[in-house]
Amino acid sequence: MRLQGKTAIVTGAASGIGRATAVKFAREGAAVLTADLDDGATQDVVKEIETDGGTAYGIATDITVRANVDAMVAAAIGRFGKIDALVNNAGSRIIKSFLDHTEDDWRRMLDVNLTGHFLCCQAVLPHMLDAGVGRIINMASIAGNVGRPNRVGYVAAKGGLLAMTRALAADMAGKNITVNALAPGMIASPMNRGFKENDAFGENWNCENLARRWGEPEDVANVAAFLASDDAAFITGETVTVDGGSIAALVRQGE
Ligand SMILES: NC(=O)c1ccc[n+]([C@@H]2O[C@H](COP(=O)([O-])OP(=O)(O)OC[C@H]3O[C@@H](n4cnc5c(N)ncnc54)[C@H](O)[C@@H]3O)[C@@H](O)[C@H]2O)c1
């Protein structure tokens, strides 16, 4: 178990990639604090982890509200005494044309997908600095590296998160605290259920990657667990793409 004796906060842990990450971390031996807007589903994940023999504690949290974030960190310290890893995974996506994006839409995308992670890092880092060790993993997206239509706020925030990852990694130089990002491709989580189950797109849509299948939340969770482990101690300021090769090659059906 590669995370035995460690503790972690996973935000957005009630669903999809966050849920799979919380479950994976617990299976690898970590005590996990699950935080999400959706308290009921968060507690369900806690029960799932406990039934599996793991240790978890769930707390309702809106990562865009500093007081919520401070309460989340206080709960983790109160329960577990330390925070070895923070997985900044919570996120949401607005799909609208550029001209239809309201100023509120734009601000919401930056709040949820960038500022919230900044707040979580600021609240957790004093504890990691005191302990002299830490792992921060930011859930960005391939959309932070390539343009995608009708998602301007989301894409801008994810690009900002990749930039924040590198800048914060530099701020943590020599402190034994690594800061990395994951850039998933299209993953079959509730966020994408609408595409996967839509007849116009269907099961095969998004399979023009090199793996020729949808990504699963566990595909991303497995890499997050590696980045949180001691094996990844010399990786920092890095973005690991988990997309089945979809941006590695320009692939078209039949070719
Ligand atoms: N699914 C994909 O294909 C994909 C691809 C690239 C990146 N991502 C990123 O991965 C992360 C997880 O996505 P997912 O696909 O599992 O989505 P999801 O919708 O299944 O889960 C997101 C979770 O975040 C929570 N959340 C949203 N806003 C929050 C807030 N302000 N405070 C706390 N919790 C909040 C939601 O309640 C939900 O439980 C997101 O950051 C997303 O942008 C997903």
Side-chain angles (χ1 to χ4, degrees):
M1 294 207 285
R2 59 170 32 145
L3 301 179
Q4 190 66 47
K6 297 192 188 296
T7 68
I9 293 176
V10 180
T11 69
S15 173
I17 296 170
R19 190 201 67 80
T21 300
V23 169
K24 174 69 178 172
F25 275 42
R27 285 197 181 141
E28 293 287 352
V32 183
L33 185 129
T34 60
D36 201 288
L37 275 181
D38 185 337
D39 192 34
T42 305
Q43 303 308 333
D44 289 345
V45 177
V46 170
K47 278 187 216 123
E48 182 182 345
I49 289 172
E50 287 175 343
T51 304
D52 207 25
T55 302
Y57 179 74
I59 184 167
T61 308
D62 182 342
I63 61 158
T64 68
V65 178
R66 190 186 282 276
N68 277 212
V69 169
D70 289 345
M72 172 188 84
V73 170
I77 293 295
R79 289 266 155 178
F80 306 141
K82 60 175 185 159
I83 302 164
D84 293 303
L86 165 67
V87 184
N88 280 316
N89 165 80
S92 65
R93 183 182 62 194
I94 290 172
I95 301 182
K96 273 185 186 177
S97 74
F98 178 78
L99 289 179
D100 285 340
H101 264 73
T102 65
E103 187 178 337
D104 278 354
D105 291 336
W106 172 261
R107 291 190 189 283
R108 182 73 198 146
M109 285 296 89
L110 293 185
D111 263 4
V112 176
N113 296 302
L114 183 57
T115 308
H117 304 320
F118 163 81
L119 294 176
C120 291
C121 290
Q122 267 204 338
V124 162
L125 271 169
H127 299 283
M128 290 182 171
L129 288 164
D130 279 352
V133 61
R135 296 274 187 277
I136 294 177
I137 298 153
N138 294 322
M139 202 59 72
S141 169
I142 55 170
N145 274 322
V146 297
R148 294 276 293 131
N150 302 321
R151 295 154 166 80
V152 68
Y154 181 79
V155 167
K158 292 297 188 182
L161 187 57
L162 293 178
M164 189 185 89
T165 298
R166 292 185 289 266
L168 183 53
D171 280 359
M172 292 301 118
K175 311 254 185 240
N176 198 26
I177 294 171
T178 67
V179 187
N180 292 293
L182 286 174
M186 288 287 276
I187 307 297
S189 69
M191 185 181 264
N192 285 326
R193 190 168 285 147
F195 290 114
K196 193 160 186 263
E197 294 174 358
N198 183 330
D199 287 343
F201 298 104
E203 275 292 320
N204 292 329
W205 188 77
N206 179 51
C207 293
E208 291 181 348
N209 56 33
L210 305 183
R212 295 287 197 271
R213 65 169 175 85
W214 277 84
E216 297 299 331
E218 290 72 17
D219 288 317
V220 184
N222 291 340
V223 186
F226 164 66
L227 287 177
S229 76
D230 293 341
D231 290 343
F234 202 55
I235 302 175
T236 192
E238 186 57 84
T239 300
V240 181
T241 302
V242 188
D243 69 344
S246 57
I247 59 168
L250 277 177
V251 179
R252 294 187 180 87
Q253 262 174 2
E255 177 195 357

